[in-house]
Amino acid sequence: MHGKSIGEHVKSVESFIKDFGNERIALVTSGGTQVPLEKNTVRFIDNFSMGTRGATSAEYLLAVGYTVIFMHRESSLLPFSRHFPSLFNMLQVEDGKAVSSDAKLIDNIQKATQCRNRILFVPFVTLSDYIHMLEGICTVLKPLHEGVLVYLAAAVSDFYIKHDDLPTHKMKTEEVSLPLSVVPKNLQRLVENIVPRAFVVSFKLETDESILVEKARKALSRYGHQLVVANMLHTRKEHVVLVDNEKEIHIRLSDKTKEIEEDIIGNIKERHSDLIANAGQAQ
Ligand code: 9Z3
């Protein structure tokens, strides 16, 4: 990993939450994970996710009062700047300064500035970084109990090549081999042992609608967490199903000028409030 180590990133989360009171905090994971195919990595397996869901959700979480730890794939989309993929082309030079009068750009820069102290960016690249970082950050968040929302929107690889199966050098075309193993699911351990009192939301992505809700239910019963947001690859921006132990709720975007994450976050905030209220009563 370039730059900071995982341990250093986890430490930065620790100091970020040091003076934390009763605020709500959301750990958002976002973007895809990279799986190396060689020890000296030239090639890797990746996926389509640009981190739109995570970056958009983080904006709405900040808007409804959460502090956000944004654990994202390096170079994937970030809250507020995500709206401007070609910033370079929006600027003019005036009096030796690069400027823009674009109202949307100004609005988003102002929002980002206002939220600056309520969001911490923590980048990852590989699947292994992702797994260790998630565990490390959740361990740091554990003492915040019900105040924590874990929102797992990252597109995590289901396959990887075990370290012992990885060739050291660039794979030769005449010796191509991809001995893939299934990634062990660590969510159950996270839910049971690391953040047992947090509100945990996982995402389920499918391309076959007939198995979507069934798969979401399987994940719920397997991991024992509170909610699965189920979505289809091609309709994920207009339709999601929120699946809990009792029921499923469909959220459909009716107003195309809005974003579905606003409704997802609105719904999840209420559920998280219920968890906090119930925990208060139980004490
Ligand atoms: C999702 O389902 C996200 O909504 C998307 C967002 C990755 C589809 P974009 O970045 O896409 O906005 O383009 N995330 C979870 C996907 C995932 O890997 N889920 C695992 C699974 O389905 C469980 S953790 O088995």
Side-chain angles (χ1 to χ4, degrees):
M1 189 189 223
H2 310 288
K4 284 187 183 170
S5 68
I6 294 172
E8 285 166 334
H9 280 303
V10 172
K11 276 254 165 338
S12 71
V13 175
E14 223 173 309
S15 41
F16 183 65
I17 63 156
K18 199 161 51 77
D19 300 319
F20 225 67
N22 275 335
E23 303 99 303
R24 290 166 185 229
I25 191 155
L27 170 60
V28 176
T29 71
S30 183
T33 56
Q34 201 181 81
V35 172
L37 300 185
E38 297 119 348
K39 282 185 184 133
N40 291 290
T41 312
V42 174
R43 281 158 299 201
F44 45 81
I45 303 174
D46 212 326
N47 65 56
F48 68 93
S49 173
M50 294 292 296
T52 310
R53 174 81 81 216
T56 311
S57 302
E59 284 180 21
Y60 289 105
L61 284 162
L62 288 163
V64 298
Y66 280 83
T67 293
V68 172
I69 296 168
F70 192 65
M71 189 184 134
H72 66 97
R73 166 70 180 273
E74 195 173 275
S75 309
S76 65
L77 294 174
L78 301 178
F80 306 112
S81 68
R82 72 181 168 102
H83 303 278
F84 310 100
S86 57
L87 189 59
F88 185 81
N89 298 320
M90 296 177 73
L91 302 172
Q92 298 93 44
V93 176
E94 275 172 26
D95 298 331
K97 288 188 174 132
V99 295
S100 167
S101 53
D102 186 284
K104 192 175 171 191
L105 178 61
I106 293 168
D107 180 46
N108 276 279
I109 292 175
Q110 282 170 339
K111 282 186 183 144
T113 309
Q114 280 159 13
C115 296
R116 208 173 31 206
N117 299 328
R118 281 201 292 129
I119 182 162
L120 180 73
F121 296 92
V122 193
F124 65 84
V125 177
T126 64
L127 172 70
S128 155
D129 291 349
Y130 169 89
I131 292 171
H132 294 112
M133 206 177 245
L134 181 61
E135 178 158 339
I137 295 177
C138 284
T139 305
V140 167
L141 295 180
K142 182 175 181 163
L144 302 177
H145 303 309
E146 287 79 13
V148 178
L149 166 68
V150 181
Y151 187 89
L152 302 168
V156 183
S157 177
D158 287 324
F159 311 104
Y160 76 120
I161 300 184
K162 288 185 180 148
H163 193 260
D164 291 350
D165 293 336
L166 276 178
T168 302
H169 296 293
K170 185 177 165 229
M171 209 183 291
K172 297 191 180 74
T173 45
E174 58 276 19
E175 290 171 15
V176 175
S177 146
L178 290 179
L180 293 174
S181 303
V182 174
V183 174
K185 298 284 182 191
N186 60 348
L187 192 52
Q188 185 179 357
R189 219 174 74 72
L190 205 98
V191 172
E192 279 179 14
N193 304 332
I194 309 186
V195 280
R197 290 165 67 177
F199 193 89
V200 179
V201 182
S202 74
F203 279 69
K204 174 58 70 186
L205 174 69
E206 291 298 338
T207 55
D208 174 358
E209 189 148 23
S210 68
I211 60 168
L212 181 66
V213 172
E214 169 197 326
K215 286 278 200 156
R217 293 222 162 279
K218 249 194 195 147
L220 266 186
S221 65
R222 186 167 174 194
Y223 307 129
H225 60 307
Q226 285 79 3
L227 185 70
V228 176
V229 181
N231 55 180
M232 298 287 296
L233 181 63
H234 298 297
T235 57
R236 66 191 190 277
K237 293 189 177 175
E238 299 104 53
H239 177 217
V240 299
V241 194
L242 305 193
V243 184
D244 66 23
N245 273 324
E246 280 145 32
K247 58 189 182 309
E248 60 225 38
I249 294 175
H250 290 257
I251 297 183
R252 288 194 174 81
L253 193 67
S254 47
D255 179 349
K256 292 272 187 265
T257 64
K258 296 186 113 189
E259 292 174 306
I260 198 164
E261 287 78 6
E262 184 174 357
D263 291 340
I264 299 175
I265 296 305
N267 187 297
I268 289 178
K269 188 188 176 185
E270 276 182 30
R271 291 170 191 256
H272 189 197
S273 299
D274 290 346
L275 179 92
I276 294 170
N278 289 338
Q281 279 165 14
Q283 274 166 13

